[in-house]
């Protein structure tokens, strides 16, 4: 039995993870849950999974949960996430909060030499170099990626040796706006950007998929996770989302992982690796229904998310943290109707142009770059609302 801490249990990945745990015949057990604003759902989850520890983001939620479940050790706010990661009595930390807020908890999980089932890609983008350094210092800690592309690459890597890899091929659905022109994108609405063709996900990542910034984040995430340089990481649009990503080896053999577009598979694999377990929640892939697989190049002129990420990644140091922070605020402002869709690219580009990269050698450095970037974006493009 593996004991699991779920950070972000009320989100899209969090609820899928609980579904995997629910159907695991007791192979996985919930030790701790965390939610931010949705304490109603968190309470439902507490009733079902009886965690020993819980973290919630609001005072209202804190009061209600402490009243209803006096036996639970309860934490409040960002520091509570780190407290959960610092617990000793668990095996796997699933980081499924959205945004750079996940960094400190991930670092704490590594220092406690746990397995990190990493969904929170923003952490690896903003602080990848530092996290890799920590992984060397704490060799018993390990990261198993949950992001479907990275899980696919992780699985495909088992088909050869690391020094035999020629390149990584990250597939992309192309997002909601695939095929649209710059002119057509000028006035798209939030509701349009939130309609993803294949995947059901949280709002922030769905907007990131529409702008292809998600793919940009995934390029940097892949570079940090697998140590492959940017000249050997490619993006390929594959609208059916059946091939989740591929690895080309020196001999030109390409190993891929295929499956239905359902995050429960990579979540479960991150829990069971190096084993595989049967699980009744997955639909098997039906090749007679998914018989056409197509591929095309990314339209980099229209969707600048990929090119901007290569620029940030190649510059390195603190630039990926700026790319990420600028995008997080830009997406928030877009969702509030304060900026147009294409302004997301403008914000990222300008934030990167004004930034002088510094070495990331601590969580504090990442946080200060993150904070400085956010403040600049708010001051230029819209006031922060609480
Ligand atoms: P959601 O928005 O659906 O869920 C986010 C979770 O984090 C919720 O539990 C939310 O709580 C919590 N949360 C948000 N802000 C804070 C905060 N400030 N402090 C504490 N908790 C917070 O996101 P997803 O599940 O879609 O994504 C989670 C992560 O996984 C992201 O990093 C994303 O990029 C990555 N990912 C997601 C995929 C997907 O299919 N969804 C695929 C690959 C990667 P509440 O709802 O209670 O406010
Ligand atoms: Mg992905």
């Amino acid at each position: 039995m593996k004991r699991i801490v779920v950070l972000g249990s009320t989100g899209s990945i969090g609820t899928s993870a609980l579904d995997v745990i629910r159907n695991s015949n007791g192979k996985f057990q919930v030790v701790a849950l965390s939610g931010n604003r949705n304490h109603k759902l968190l309470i439902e989850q507490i009733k079902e999974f009886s965690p020993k520890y819980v973290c919630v983001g609001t005072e209202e939620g804190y009061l209600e949960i402490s009243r209803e479940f006096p036996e639970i050790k309860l934490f409040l706010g960002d520091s509570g996430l780190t407290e959960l990661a610092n617990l000793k009595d668990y095996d796997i930390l699933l980081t499924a909060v959205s945004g750079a807020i996940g960094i400190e908890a991930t670092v704490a999980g590594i220092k406690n030499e746990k397995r990190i089932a990493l969904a929170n890609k923003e952490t690896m983008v903003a602080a990848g170099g530092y996290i890799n350094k920590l992984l060397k210092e704490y060799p018993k800690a390990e990261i198993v990626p949950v992001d479907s592309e990275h899980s696919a690459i992780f699985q495909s890597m088992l088909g050869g040796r690391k020094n035999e890899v020629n390149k990584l091929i990250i597939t992309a659905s192309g997002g909601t706006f695939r095929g649209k022109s710059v002119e057509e994108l000028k006035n798209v609405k939030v509701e349009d950007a939130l309609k993803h063709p294949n995947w059901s996900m949280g709002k922030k990542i769905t907007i990131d998929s529409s702008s292809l910034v998600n793919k940009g984040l995934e390029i940097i995430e892949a570079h940090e996770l697998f140590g492959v340089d940017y000249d050997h990481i490619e993006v390929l649009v594959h609208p059916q989302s059946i091939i989740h990503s591929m690895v080309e080896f020196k001999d030109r053999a390409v190993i891929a992982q295929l499956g239905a577009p359902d995050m429960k598979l990579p979540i479960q694999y991150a829990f069971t690796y190096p084993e595989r377990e049967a699980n009744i929640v997955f639909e098997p892939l039906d090749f007679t229904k998914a018989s056409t697989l197509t591929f095309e190049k990314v339209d980099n002129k229209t969707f600048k998310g990929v090119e901007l990420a290569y620029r940030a990644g190649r510059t390195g140091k603190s630039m990926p943290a700026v790319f990420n922070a600028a995008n997080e605020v830009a997406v928030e402002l877009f969702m509030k109707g304060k900026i147009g869709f294409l302004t997301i690219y403008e914000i990222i580009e300008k934030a990167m142009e004004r930034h002088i990269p510094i070495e990331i050698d601590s969580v504090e450095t990442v946080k200060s770059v993150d904070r400085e970037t956010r403040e600049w974006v708010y001051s230029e493009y819209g006031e922060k609302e609480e």
Side-chain angles (χ1 to χ4, degrees):
M1 202 230 339
K2 286 181 178 160
R3 300 159 302 169
I4 301 179
V5 170
V6 184
L7 301 186
S9 63
T10 50
S12 166
I13 292 284
T15 49
S16 290
L18 291 183
D19 211 15
V20 169
I21 296 170
R22 184 181 288 124
N23 289 289
S24 71
N25 286 326
K27 289 201 175 92
F28 310 126
Q29 186 200 11
V30 172
V31 174
L33 295 173
S34 98
N36 189 34
R37 295 178 183 277
N38 192 352
H39 69 266
K40 297 284 177 219
L41 176 58
L42 190 55
I43 287 173
E44 292 308 309
Q45 296 178 342
I46 294 170
K47 284 183 185 154
E48 181 179 354
F49 292 96
S50 311
K52 276 162 81 177
Y53 314 90
V54 169
C55 176
V56 64
T58 62
E59 303 229 349
E60 190 196 352
Y62 187 90
L63 284 176
E64 219 169 294
I65 295 170
S66 57
R67 221 179 292 127
E68 206 169 325
F69 306 96
E71 72 284 6
I72 283 176
K73 179 127 181 58
L74 189 59
F75 301 97
L76 174 67
D78 299 357
S79 60
L81 296 177
T82 312
E83 303 258 17
L84 294 187
N86 270 326
L87 295 169
K88 300 288 173 258
D89 51 344
Y90 75 95
D91 304 299
I92 299 171
L93 179 72
L94 173 67
T95 61
V97 293
S98 98
I101 195 88
I103 292 176
E104 269 182 303
T106 306
V107 166
I110 294 172
K111 288 187 175 170
N112 284 299
E113 307 202 299
K114 304 292 186 185
R115 169 175 298 183
I116 317 291
L118 183 90
N120 181 238
K121 65 188 84 185
E122 293 90 343
T123 290
M124 217 48 203
V125 171
Y130 174 62
I131 284 177
N132 280 326
K133 195 174 126 239
L134 277 183
L135 286 170
K136 289 206 180 89
E137 276 173 46
Y138 297 91
K140 285 193 194 139
E142 61 178 347
I143 292 186
V144 183
V146 167
D147 208 347
S148 58
E149 294 77 2
H150 304 75
S151 176
I153 292 170
F154 188 89
Q155 294 175 59
S156 303
M157 284 288 203
L158 302 174
R161 298 214 173 96
K162 208 183 147 195
N163 62 3
E164 296 162 350
V165 171
N166 220 12
K167 65 179 176 190
L168 310 182
I169 303 165
I170 303 180
T171 53
S173 70
T176 324
F177 300 140
R178 186 171 62 91
K180 290 223 184 307
S181 64
V182 171
E183 203 49 44
E184 288 170 303
L185 288 180
K186 272 186 186 153
N187 296 315
V188 290
K189 302 210 166 53
V190 179
E191 307 85 83
D192 304 325
L194 283 175
K195 287 180 208 142
H196 196 278
N198 303 339
W199 297 90
S200 154
M201 309 179 285
K203 284 186 180 169
K204 194 250 169 189
I205 185 177
T206 307
I207 305 278
D208 286 349
S209 298
S210 301
S211 64
L212 262 69
V213 170
N214 181 50
K215 219 37 65 179
L217 293 167
E218 290 180 353
I219 292 166
I220 302 173
E221 185 187 8
H223 168 79
E224 298 295 355
L225 285 173
F226 303 109
V228 173
D229 66 62
Y230 288 100
D231 292 341
H232 295 93
I233 303 178
E234 273 179 26
V235 175
L236 182 65
V237 174
H238 165 46
Q240 297 81 16
S241 299
I242 297 294
I243 298 180
H244 295 315
S245 279
M246 317 185 239
V247 177
E248 183 191 278
F249 289 92
K250 273 202 292 205
D251 58 359
R252 304 278 187 223
V254 178
I255 311 281
Q257 185 257 330
L258 285 69
D262 186 332
M263 288 308 293
K264 292 187 208 84
L265 202 156
I267 292 168
Q268 173 169 310
Y269 188 69
F271 290 171
T272 63
Y273 167 79
E275 269 100 50
R276 290 183 184 272
E277 294 280 352
N279 195 316
I280 50 168
V281 293
F282 302 151
E283 287 297 316
L285 184 59
D286 182 346
F287 280 96
T288 60
K289 283 191 189 141
S291 56
T292 312
L293 303 182
T294 60
F295 306 95
E296 52 195 73
K297 282 188 180 160
V298 179
D299 173 4
N300 284 314
K301 285 212 174 77
T302 311
F303 300 95
K304 294 188 181 165
V306 166
E307 288 290 339
L308 288 168
Y310 274 120
R311 209 187 295 169
R314 287 192 167 112
T315 307
K317 295 185 175 175
S318 51
M319 201 55 99
V322 172
F323 173 83
N324 177 64
N327 177 61
E328 280 192 34
V329 182
V331 170
E332 183 192 316
L333 294 174
F334 172 67
M335 287 205 279
K336 286 180 175 157
K338 295 203 168 170
I339 59 164
F341 183 73
L342 293 172
T343 311
I344 294 175
Y345 302 131
E346 179 188 309
I347 289 176
I348 299 173
E349 195 161 15
K350 288 201 174 152
M352 281 171 35
E353 272 165 14
R354 65 181 281 286
H355 179 70
I356 299 159
I358 56 167
E359 211 64 61
I360 300 273
D361 51 10
S362 66
V363 174
E364 285 65 40
T365 337
V366 192
K367 282 172 83 174
S368 76
V369 170
D370 181 90
R371 190 168 47 240
E372 201 271 333
T373 306
R374 283 167 199 266
E375 279 165 9
W376 178 80
V377 181
Y378 283 124
S379 71
E380 291 291 310
Y381 291 89
E383 281 309 301
K384 187 172 182 190
E385 286 170 14
E386 286 307 322

